[in-house]
């Protein structure tokens, strides 16, 4: 009996030891989970031997800053909570470079939003979890840590940020600051109470931890403003500081002041899109001091509003953002198009962070009409690390899927869950999920998410005439603007979603399913044209407004419209301009597909003229202008307007993947009146560089292709001759004997182009004579 009792005791001790080894969620004893709470946590520990690597898993609701031995290790850690409606993200950080033999101090500052919003799902409990095991070195969050509420942070009074933003404005009273606490050099830290344990890993309300997928933020360091101008007032002066471009910034200042003076920091986007955004307040202590606001804000200008007796000694800004490089580029002989491409790239970057977002000021929300256009731009404009933001968003979209099958946006979110049927179909379709796979070759993600795609497609039903039955969703949104033939539009988006599903089924080896989807596409195409085509244009029988250019664009880019309809559709697109900047991308793409690229460039330059030529703004608008023409509040930084970037790289220079992961790609340049252009496209297999010159006598194309890729080079079949690296390979309408050494084969791809198949990488110069 004694032996059994002893064994039970050992078992209980073993279970307790295992329980103790589980990292715990900790917070300050006095934390009440109020909105805009700031929590200090600290742990002193000894390291016998510094490990070569020490990967820590760190999770927080909502954000955290981490120091080890007084050195900043993580600047704004954690992505906004919400891989699904239940769970939480964690970061993975190697802390070994910051450790030292002997005594160490780890400090963390947690910012708990405590506020619902369109881009975040609060747990209801602000806390931190830390877990690091590296050989003999073990450090985990538990009750041996110390914690306190930071006394300096406070909630600024009205106006408060609008309900879409989970972030609050930040107030900081320097008179209550605890200087040096991050390195453990403030004696007040010794009196902090032990941390309160509020759960262990896996417990509600944080539940399962998911890897953040995307990289930690890029820190560009403190920078000087482009210019500074003082505007004098009766009580306060305002220092207007010009940023080099619209960016996500944390303002910094050094001041000399008497105690109790209020300094307010905000941007010219404080009411970006009409609604209030975030600002910062700082109350001075006595003497010389410095402050950097930890919450990012964005704009073209930063305003420091300060009392006249305060001396601003120095002001700077820290830009942070998604960790990717501006690796893609496009230049041509048309200055307008160059500026449009550059502004598109800049707008794209300022709308990337925790998720793709519609805008960085009004809401910071992952609407999927925006995300589809943005991800398409990123494949041409940014280094491959950008691909992960789309991957993360795709997992979130399906992670938030309702049991009944609907998917919705924005997600993650806590106060707005809306199915926008058109945007949802776009997200999982050809331009969304499939385009991700085509550019990345990441089949595992498609395998994981395909059941959710299939589940959503099964929500839709058909009418007796074979068209798709209209579903209003919670927000029947087709586009900003007027003259939206919504029922036809949703039919077109459904067909595009079917294309994506069909291609994904083939990629996954689901042959029977792919065949059934192909048959469904065939039947829908017949019904679409029978019911909606009246001989001159597409139109729903019940639709009474002006002809919708959007539906004609989608009919072309999807293949719903056959080539015999192109002349009529071209006339429709020349007579109707109803699409917003979001849908205009598809209109211009349709014009290029119909070989009307020259008019496509004309139309693009006409419609985007105001925002591209705007000298005060480095980014593109939500609508066609600011104010009444702005739609939906009208922000001036909406990357859904950057579709022209995709057009110029994909169609003007002609680069597009034809097999997943750029195993094979096509170059089919359509100069559209442009005399010279060059582009570089970052891909998972290396950068592709293309340039061309186009004059009355010849067209010359230069290609630099990475190894391990197959290229299909498309050139005019009407050319008198085509030479490759100085040797004629095409003459009098056929391949020459020299061609066999240079190209695998050549195919007619349409009435105006011949395709040369190139195996492997290399530098090629094609010259055609006209």
């Amino acid at each position: 009996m004694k032996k059994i009792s002893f064994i039970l005791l050992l078992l209980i001790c073993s279970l307790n030891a295992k329980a103790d080894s589980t990292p715990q969620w900790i917070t300050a004893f006095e934390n009440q989970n109020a909105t805009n709470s700031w929590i200090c946590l600290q742990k002193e520990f000894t390291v016998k031997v510094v490990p070569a690597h020490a990967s820590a898993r760190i999770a927080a609701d909502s954000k955290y800053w981490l120091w080890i031995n007084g050195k900043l290790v993580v600047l704004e850690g954690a992505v906004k909570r919400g891989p699904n409606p239940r769970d939480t993200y964690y970061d993975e950080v190697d802390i070994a470079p910051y450790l030292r033999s002997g005594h160490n101090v780890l400090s963390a500052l947690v910012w708990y939003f405590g506020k619902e919003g369109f881009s975040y799902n609060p747990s209801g409990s602000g806390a931190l979890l830390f877990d690091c095991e590296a050989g003999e070195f073990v450090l985990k969050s538990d009750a041996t840590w110390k914690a306190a509420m930071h006394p300096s942070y406070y909630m600024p009074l009205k106006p408060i940020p609008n309900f879409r933003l989970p972030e609050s404005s930040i107030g900081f009273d320097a008179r209550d600051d605890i200087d040096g606490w991050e390195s453990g050099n403030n004696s007040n830290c010794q009196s902090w109470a032990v941390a309160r344990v509020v759960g262990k890993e896996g417990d509600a309300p944080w539940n399962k931890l998911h890897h953040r997928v995307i990289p930690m933020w890029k820190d560009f360091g403190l920078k000087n403003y482009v210019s500074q101008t003082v505007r004098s007032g009766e009580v306060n002066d305002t220092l207007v500081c010009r940023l080099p471009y619209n960016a996500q910034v944390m303002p910094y200042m050094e001041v000399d002041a008497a105690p109790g003076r209020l300094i307010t920091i905000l941007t010219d986007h404080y009411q970006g899109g009409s609604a209030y955004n975030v600002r910062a307040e700082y109350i001075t202590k006595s003497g010389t001091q410095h402050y950097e606001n930890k919450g990012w804000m964005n704009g073209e200008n930063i305003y420091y509003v300060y009392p006249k007796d305060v001396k601003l000694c120095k002001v700077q800004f820290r830009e942070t953002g998604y960790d990717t490089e501006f690796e893609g580029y496009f230049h041509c002989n048309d200055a307008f198009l160059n500026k449009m491409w550059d502004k598109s790239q800049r707008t794209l970057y300022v709308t990337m962070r925790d998720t793709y977002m519609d805008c960085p000021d009004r809401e910071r929300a992952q609407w999927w009409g925006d995300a589809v256009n943005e991800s398409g731009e990123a494949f041409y404009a940014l280094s491959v690390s950008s691909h992960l933001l789309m991957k993360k968003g795709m997992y979130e979209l399906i992670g938030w899927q309702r049991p009944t099958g609907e998917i919705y946006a924005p997600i993650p979110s806590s106060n707005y869950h809306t199915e926008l049927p058109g945007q949802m179909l776009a997200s999982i379709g050809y331009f969304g999920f499939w385009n991700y796979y085509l550019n990345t070759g990441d089949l595992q993600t498609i395998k994981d998410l395909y059941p959710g795609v299939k589940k959503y497609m099964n929500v839709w039903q058909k009418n007796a005439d074979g068209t798709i039955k209209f579903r209003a969703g919670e927000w029947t949104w087709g586009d900003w603007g007027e003259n939206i033939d919504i029922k036809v539009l949703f039919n077109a988006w459904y067909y595009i979603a079917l294309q994506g599903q069909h291609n994904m089924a083939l990629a996954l080896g689901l042959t029977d399913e792919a065949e059934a989807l192909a048959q469904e596409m065939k039947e829908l195409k017949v019904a679409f044209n029978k019911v909606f085509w009246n001989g001159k244009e597409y139109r729903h029988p019940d639709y009474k407004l002006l002809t919708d250019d959007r539906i004609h664009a989608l009919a072309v880019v999807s293949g719903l419209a056959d080539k015999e309809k192109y002349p009529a559709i071209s006339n429709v697109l020349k007579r109707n301009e109803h699409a917003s900047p979001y849908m205009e991308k598809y209109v211009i793409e349709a014009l290029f597909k119909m070989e009307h690229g020259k008019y496509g460039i004309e139309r693009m330059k006409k419609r985007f003229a105001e925002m591209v030529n705007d000298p005060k703004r480095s980014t593109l608008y939500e609508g066609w202008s600011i104010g009444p023409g702005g739609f939906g509040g009208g922000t001036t930084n909406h990357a859904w307007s950057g579709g022209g970037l995709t057009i110029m790289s994909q169609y003007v220079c002609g680069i597009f993947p034809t097999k997943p992961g750029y195993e094979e790609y096509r170059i089919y340049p359509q100069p559209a009146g442009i005399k010279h252009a060059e582009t570089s496209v970052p891909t998972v297999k290396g950068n592709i560089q293309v340039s061309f010159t186009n004059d009355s006598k010849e067209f010359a194309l230069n290609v630099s292709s990475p190894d391990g890729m197959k290229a299909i080079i498309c050139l005019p079949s009407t050319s008198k001759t085509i030479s490759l690296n100085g040797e004629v390979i095409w003459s009098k309408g056929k391949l020459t004997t020299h061609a066999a050494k240079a190209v695998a084969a050549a195919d007619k791809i349409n009435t105006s182009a011949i395709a040369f198949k190139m195996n492997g990488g290399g530098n090629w110069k094609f010259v055609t004579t006209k």
Side-chain angles (χ1 to χ4, degrees):
M1 185 68 179
K2 288 182 180 179
K3 186 176 181 181
I4 295 172
S5 299
F6 180 68
I7 291 171
L8 285 172
L9 181 61
L10 286 176
L11 180 61
I12 291 167
C13 290
S14 174
L15 289 172
N16 285 338
K18 287 182 180 178
D20 291 342
S21 70
T22 303
Q24 297 174 318
W25 286 94
I26 58 174
T27 189
F29 179 78
E30 65 269 37
N31 176 31
Q32 295 297 304
N33 296 313
T35 299
N36 205 9
S37 295
W38 294 78
I39 308 158
C40 301
L41 299 128
Q42 195 166 83
K43 173 67 176 177
E44 296 186 56
F45 57 98
T46 300
V47 176
K48 292 182 180 179
V49 179
V50 175
H53 299 283
S55 183
R57 294 185 309 129
I58 311 169
D61 191 355
S62 308
K63 298 282 184 178
Y64 71 91
W65 284 254
L66 182 75
W67 297 264
I68 295 179
N69 299 321
K71 188 167 184 179
L72 183 66
V73 179
V74 177
L75 181 147
E76 196 202 297
V79 292
K80 291 179 177 177
R81 187 173 179 273
N84 55 52
R86 303 167 299 282
D87 298 337
T88 305
Y89 285 111
Y90 73 89
D91 297 343
E92 194 166 3
V93 180
D94 183 10
I95 64 170
Y98 306 93
L99 299 174
R100 63 193 179 201
S101 235
H103 181 260
N104 289 258
V105 179
L106 181 151
S107 302
L109 177 65
V110 172
W111 180 18
Y112 175 58
F113 292 163
K115 177 177 179 281
E116 293 183 330
F118 282 19
S119 58
Y120 158 75
N121 185 30
S123 68
S125 184
L128 176 84
L129 181 142
F130 187 97
D131 178 27
C132 184
E133 290 189 44
E136 293 184 4
F137 174 72
V138 178
L139 182 62
K140 297 174 184 286
S141 48
D142 57 25
T144 66
W145 292 44
K146 291 184 176 182
M149 303 302 293
H150 199 298
S152 287
Y153 287 97
Y154 69 89
M155 175 73 82
L157 299 177
K158 294 181 179 179
I160 62 173
N162 76 87
F163 70 98
R164 303 171 186 86
L165 291 172
E167 298 91 338
S168 296
S169 294
I170 298 172
F172 189 89
D173 190 336
R175 295 172 297 182
D176 297 324
D177 198 6
I178 37 179
D179 293 327
W181 77 271
E182 300 92 343
S183 56
N185 291 334
N186 193 303
S187 58
N188 289 330
C189 301
Q190 303 304 316
S191 63
W192 288 356
V194 295
R196 178 159 57 100
V197 173
V198 286
K200 63 180 185 297
E201 182 177 348
D203 284 354
W206 310 277
N207 303 308
K208 183 180 177 181
L209 296 182
H210 298 246
H211 189 268
R212 67 181 279 153
V213 182
I214 60 176
M216 305 294 282
W217 311 136
K218 185 174 183 177
D219 179 2
F220 294 82
L222 285 173
K223 295 182 178 180
N224 294 325
Y225 293 103
V226 173
S227 64
Q228 299 178 25
T229 306
V230 177
R231 295 177 184 169
S232 294
E234 291 185 11
V235 178
N236 294 318
D237 290 338
T238 300
L239 182 64
V240 181
C241 299
R242 182 72 179 173
L243 290 163
Y245 40 74
N246 193 343
Q248 299 170 5
V249 301
M250 298 171 177
Y252 171 85
M253 63 182 178
E254 295 176 11
V255 305
D256 191 4
R261 302 296 190 266
L262 175 65
I263 301 171
T264 300
I265 310 171
L266 65 162
T267 80
D268 55 349
H269 283 220
Y270 181 50
Q271 285 185 271
S274 73
Y276 282 110
N277 193 359
V278 295
R279 70 183 192 278
E281 290 184 1
Y282 178 80
I283 299 175
T284 62
K285 59 185 177 182
S286 179
T288 303
Q289 57 213 273
H290 62 89
Y291 175 71
E292 183 176 324
N293 189 60
K294 286 186 163 55
W296 68 269
M297 53 186 75
N298 79 285
E300 308 279 357
N301 296 284
I302 303 289
Y303 302 142
Y304 294 83
V305 184
Y306 58 98
K308 287 182 173 294
D309 63 347
V310 169
K311 182 181 179 182
L312 287 184
C313 306
K314 185 177 184 179
V315 291
Q316 291 180 300
F317 69 94
R318 183 185 304 277
E319 180 184 358
T320 65
Y322 190 95
D323 192 0
T324 191
E325 301 297 324
F326 281 31
E327 205 166 314
Y329 66 78
F330 173 90
H331 301 293
C332 72
N333 60 288
D334 189 309
F336 180 93
L337 297 180
N338 293 338
K339 188 184 291 185
M340 184 176 189
W341 200 98
D342 291 345
K343 280 195 171 187
S344 298
Q345 187 181 46
R346 176 56 59 191
T347 315
L348 172 64
Y349 188 64
V350 82
T351 54
M352 297 171 67
R353 201 172 178 97
D354 300 66
T355 63
Y356 278 120
M357 61 184 97
D358 59 337
C359 54
D361 37 35
R362 186 181 65 214
E363 46 198 278
R364 305 180 179 181
Q366 188 171 221
W367 296 99
W368 270 88
D370 303 75
V372 168
N373 280 18
E374 288 166 334
S375 65
E377 295 164 37
F379 292 129
Y380 288 102
L382 303 173
S383 61
V384 296
S385 62
S386 65
H387 301 177
L388 294 173
L389 194 58
M390 181 61 169
K391 177 177 180 172
K392 174 178 174 287
M394 290 163 62
Y395 274 99
E396 287 172 345
L397 188 64
I398 301 304
W400 283 77
Q401 188 169 32
R402 294 171 184 158
T404 49
E406 296 92 351
I407 52 178
Y408 53 93
I411 44 87
S413 177
S414 47
N415 58 355
Y416 200 74
H417 305 121
T418 316
E419 185 197 359
L420 296 83
Q423 286 198 18
M424 299 300 95
L425 291 169
S427 68
I428 61 170
Y430 183 89
F431 295 103
F433 282 22
W434 176 253
N435 198 41
Y436 168 81
Y437 175 55
L438 195 56
N439 280 272
T440 65
D442 175 12
L443 187 61
Q444 186 60 51
T445 293
I446 299 302
K447 184 178 180 180
D448 291 345
L449 303 182
Y450 182 77
V453 171
K454 184 176 177 180
K455 189 175 182 180
Y456 180 63
M457 293 298 283
N458 288 339
V459 170
W460 293 77
Q461 298 177 348
K462 290 187 175 62
N463 294 310
D465 60 13
T467 61
I468 298 303
K469 188 173 290 186
F470 178 69
R471 294 184 63 253
E474 283 95 16
W475 185 5
T476 311
W477 190 91
D479 190 20
W480 289 134
E482 300 176 342
N483 302 303
I484 304 170
D485 197 345
I486 195 78
K487 293 181 179 179
V488 182
L489 191 69
F490 283 8
N491 268 264
W493 277 126
Y494 182 84
Y495 186 83
I496 291 168
L498 267 184
Q499 284 180 314
Q501 185 187 4
H502 168 262
N503 291 352
M504 286 185 270
L506 278 178
L508 294 169
L510 304 174
T511 308
D512 292 344
E513 195 163 314
E515 287 178 1
L517 291 165
Q519 181 61 31
E520 185 181 355
M521 288 170 61
K522 184 177 178 181
E523 292 170 359
L524 179 56
K525 181 174 179 177
V526 170
F528 186 92
N529 284 281
K530 182 179 180 181
V531 176
F532 302 137
W533 182 256
N534 64 13
K536 295 180 180 179
E537 58 192 18
Y538 287 109
R539 174 180 284 271
H540 192 278
D542 300 332
Y543 179 71
K544 306 301 180 186
L545 302 175
L546 296 177
T547 302
D548 188 353
D549 50 350
R550 307 167 188 85
I551 61 174
H552 292 80
L554 293 187
V556 171
V557 299
S558 66
L560 278 166
D562 291 326
K563 290 183 179 180
E564 61 265 21
K565 293 185 174 68
Y566 284 4
I569 291 173
S570 299
N571 287 331
V572 168
L573 297 183
K574 288 176 181 177
R575 291 184 286 106
N576 294 275
E577 296 179 353
H578 310 305
S580 78
Y582 157 55
M583 287 296 294
E584 188 69 10
K585 180 258 184 186
Y586 301 100
V587 175
I588 307 303
E589 184 169 356
L591 287 165
F592 270 89
K593 279 187 171 288
M594 294 187 294
E595 300 185 11
H596 289 288
K598 194 168 184 179
Y599 172 68
I601 295 292
E602 241 174 71
R603 173 170 168 143
M604 192 161 65
K605 290 171 76 170
K606 173 189 172 186
R607 300 209 79 196
F608 285 89
E610 181 179 336
M611 64 181 91
V612 172
N613 291 327
D614 186 341
K616 296 180 179 179
R617 295 170 179 87
S618 58
T619 53
L620 302 175
Y621 308 165
E622 179 177 8
W624 293 114
S625 62
I626 302 170
F631 309 128
T635 74
T636 58
N637 35 223
H638 242 72
W640 76 359
S641 299
L645 181 156
T646 306
I647 297 295
M648 285 179 263
S649 296
Q650 181 178 331
Y651 287 95
V652 173
C653 285
I655 302 174
F656 183 73
T658 50
K659 289 187 178 179
Y662 268 90
E663 180 185 336
E664 179 184 276
Y665 69 96
R666 177 204 68 200
I667 299 177
Y668 183 5
Q670 298 183 59
I674 295 169
K675 299 299 182 185
H676 168 76
E678 59 181 299
T679 194
S680 180
V681 176
T683 81
V684 291
K685 285 189 167 60
N687 290 4
I688 301 168
Q689 293 178 316
V690 169
S691 66
F692 69 75
T693 55
N694 182 37
D695 59 34
S696 59
K697 294 183 179 180
E698 67 177 31
F699 175 81
L701 177 70
N702 291 283
V703 178
S704 177
S705 179
D707 292 334
M709 304 169 77
K710 296 178 182 179
I712 301 172
I713 313 294
C714 304
L715 295 166
S717 59
T718 54
S719 304
K720 291 180 182 179
T721 63
I722 300 175
S723 66
L724 170 59
N725 295 339
E727 286 198 58
V728 175
I729 60 170
W730 174 268
S731 179
K732 298 179 181 179
K734 60 182 182 180
L735 289 169
T736 68
T737 54
H738 298 290
K741 297 178 183 178
V743 297
D747 295 313
K748 211 69 170 290
I749 61 168
N750 57 35
T751 56
S752 60
I754 188 79
F756 297 93
K757 297 179 180 179
M758 311 295 292
N759 289 322
N763 296 308
W764 309 311
K765 182 174 182 178
F766 292 85
V767 178
T768 75
T769 58
K770 297 180 180 179

